[in-house]
Amino acid sequence: MKMLIEGGTVIDPAAGFEGPADLVIENGKIAGIVKPGAGPKDSEIITAKGCIICPGLVDIHTHLREPGYEYKETIATGSRAAAAGGVTSMACMANTNPVNDNGSVTEFILKQARAYAVVRVYPIGAVTKGQQGEALAEIGDMREAGAVALSDDGSVVADSDLMRRGLEYAKTFGLCVVTHSEDMSLVGEGVMNEGFVSTELGLPAAPHEAEEIMIFRDVTLAALTGARVHIAHVTTSGGVQIIREAKKRGIAVTAETCPHYITLTDDAVRTFDTNTKVNPPLRTQDDVDAVIEGLADGTIDAVASDHAPHVNDDKEVEFIYAKSGMIGLETLLPLSLALVEQKKLSMSRLIRALTELPAGIISIDAGTLKTGAGADVTVFDPTEEWVYDVSKSLSKSRNTPFAGAAMRGRVKLTVVGGKVVYRDGTIV
Amino acid sequence: MSETLTHAAKEISWDKKDLLDIKSLSADEIELVLNTAESFKQISERDIKKVPTLRGKTVITLFYEASTRTRVSFEIAGKRLSADTVNISTSTSSVQKGETLIDMAKNLEAMAPDAIIMRHNVPGAPYILASRLAASIINAGDGAHEHPTQALLDAFTIREKKGRFEKLRVSLIGDIAHSRVARSNIFCLTKLGANVTVSGPATMLPRYVERLGVRVVSTIQEAVEGSDVIMMLRIQKERMGKVLFPSTRDYSRFFGLTPDVMRGALPDAIVMHPGPMNRGVEISSEVADGPYSVILDQVTNGVAVRMAILYLLLGRGGGYEDAH
């Protein structure tokens, strides 16, 4: 089985390659990047004229809701949305029901993924039992079952000693700990960013300092323990600065942000649209600018979707009562591409933030087109303009503030392990 | 009277289906409401306090928070315009009751009301109804966001007593952060050209409050000095101890409006309070019942302003003129 993707521009930051080339796939593996027209003609040929051919995207922050909340999303539907978004590998958070805090749940997720997912799924285990922040979860057990990282995500581990022990134990097993860094006591009842907009709207608000305090604690504990800490969804200018300093000091910390934190501000909340309610909250333009700068200078390593599906019943309520989060797998790439369009990021830097670097953070073998690597490939047209029709989303949920938004850049083809899983708007 | 109304309505048109906030109103629209209310005030002074303007219209008050004054004021306003008023009070939130706000709204809509006057504890809740229902939605207070009719009746009272807004010095004192009355009044008065000052302990001042175009002072004495209008805000006692202030004793000592503080006021200053008052906490009885106080005028004017709002939202298309 040979496949030739020809006529496009290949960008593989991990291999340091960027230029017009064709990609040869054989037996599910990358067989090589060749000069235009130099590929074997006895292949299945896919034309990628005007498109970029890059490693399949790696999204290290998703919520697939299975087990427990299958009415919001399943591993099957989440994986289809991923394929449509050009995501070939994704890590799913542990806040399922039951929580993924032991090997049996990890195994269940992987079993469902093998049976129903069209892309690769990597479970993230909980740091503490039931994500209750009281006792360590069975980390070794989950590691053995296939967990790639640990996180209590939105259920922040408030107890600093427990966090320290979790980091130490995770280090023993070579696992990275992903933190939702917010001091929840300072967040209080906050449902949006505390700023001028919240002052006008009268909604309870959380200060950006809540994020900064916790990022500082978490990088400090990373220094103390020598464990690898990954700061999820960085949203604040101050947070970026703390991570930048930590990296300078040689602390083993990585960080991600999400497309909504580089495209929207708390101004979006003015409509009281509950799809703008997300955790951490949308911040100010100064924060957006600082986060983009952090991405550009490498302080922030990766962009992840924080795909968080919720059904309409969870969102069509008063703002304070609405669940937090938005779906994001299908819009991860086009929203991020806006930074390239605005010349704030080079195309290769962005692709690196969506492939090689996130793969490294969760230590999976993905994110490159090097010869011999698994043939996970994404082909996208960087200039195609389209409108995001969320009613056609492959996710089970519809919660996004980008419904009906104009997008630039569109995924045309997604290949997982040499097999085409998505092509021109359809799951294959 | 109808001449005045026709005159006002011709110069500035009112094209809004709902009254959700002051923020999106223009100064002209606010003036239109005040001018309209001027005409309606006379009705309340007659022996027979009723006109047929809104005959056949159905007005529902839907209150998710306890309220006496505002609800009764709206009900009286509706009745004096001959609308049929129906009151729904629900002490528990819709979520706790198990019925969503949208379901509740759809059920009400099925009974074809012309207006729904809504109070809710969550900012933005009336917007959910406004975008989904054909009925006019009037925000009677949504959490700490806005309370537009309160600001309009306050503006009406200020204009009645002071005759102008331009460069008028108005001080709001108390819990600005959690007060919908403060927000609506700040939006309203700054649009009308007044110079607004806010004061309260820092726990009660929202972040970047100065960007609302107000001056911030830290003592009640500074706020009172030179002010034409002193507007006290209600302290929510349930917030005591937890976050905003240690005790009513401490609060009243430093932020209560007492005769002693009033010694620094202008002789013709007026004192306002949206009610209900915590006597002896944010305002002493001597001041509340004293010569500076226009607190009961606010309540009287509330009916006229709410009649004006109901008229502007429901009575267009000649209803009022037909009745005269």
Side-chain angles (χ1 to χ4, degrees), chain A residues 194 199-201 209 318 321, chain B residues 23 94 120-121 183 207:
Chain A
E194 182 176 325
T199 287
E200 285 206 336
L201 297 184
E209 286 82 353
E318 297 88 323
Y321 306 143
Chain B
K23 170 119 169 113
S94 58
H120 199 287
N121 56 307
R183 278 182 182 74
R207 215 164 177 176

Side-chain angles (χ1 to χ4, degrees), chain A residues 233-250:
Chain A
H233 42 51
V234 176
T235 68
T236 61
S237 169
V240 172
Q241 189 54 35
I242 292 163
I243 295 164
R244 188 176 285 134
E245 290 299 318
K247 284 190 164 184
K248 258 188 218 160
R249 286 165 54 202

Side-chain angles (χ1 to χ4, degrees), chain A residues 14-25:
Chain A
F17 187 90
E18 179 170 357
D22 296 350
L23 185 70
V24 186
I25 295 168

Side-chain angles (χ1 to χ4, degrees), chain A residues 46-67:
Chain A
I46 295 174
T47 301
K49 201 164 164 28
C51 289
I52 286 171
I53 302 160
C54 71
L57 309 187
V58 178
D59 186 348
I60 54 174
H61 196 149
T62 70
H63 298 268
L64 297 182
R65 305 300 189 206
E66 189 180 353

Side-chain angles (χ1 to χ4, degrees), chain B residues 193-269:
Chain B
N195 294 332
V196 179
T197 297
V198 299
S199 180
T203 48
M204 297 182 183
L205 297 176
R207 215 164 177 176
Y208 311 115
V209 64
E210 67 288 345
R211 284 173 57 190
L212 292 170
V214 300
R215 181 174 74 110
V216 183
V217 298
S218 53
T219 68
I220 190 169
Q221 286 78 12
E222 287 170 87
V224 162
E225 191 189 346
S227 280
D228 300 299
V229 179
I230 299 158
M231 196 180 286
M232 301 307 293
L233 297 170
R234 176 181 162 75
I235 288 303
Q236 291 171 282
K237 285 188 185 168
E238 59 272 22
R239 295 188 184 275
M240 182 173 73
K242 273 196 292 187
V243 273
L244 297 184
F245 62 111
S247 65
T248 50
R249 178 176 169 274
D250 215 55
Y251 185 82
S252 63
R253 206 175 138 202
F254 294 100
F255 283 94
L257 191 64
T258 59
D260 193 41
V261 173
M262 282 305 289
R263 269 194 278 276
L266 295 174
D268 63 344

Side-chain angles (χ1 to χ4, degrees), chain A residues 176-212:
Chain A
C176 160
V177 175
V178 180
T179 69
H180 175 128
S181 296
E182 258 192 309
D183 179 343
M184 298 315 279
S185 66
L186 191 51
V187 167
E189 295 172 345
V191 294
M192 69 174 295
N193 178 57
E194 182 176 325
F196 180 61
V197 179
S198 69
T199 287
E200 285 206 336
L201 297 184
L203 279 168
H208 60 81
E209 286 82 353
E211 176 172 308
E212 292 156 22

Side-chain angles (χ1 to χ4, degrees), chain B residues 107-119:
Chain B
N107 277 278
L108 295 179
E109 176 89 335
M111 293 181 261
D114 297 286
I116 297 173
I117 295 156
M118 184 189 184
R119 169 165 291 186

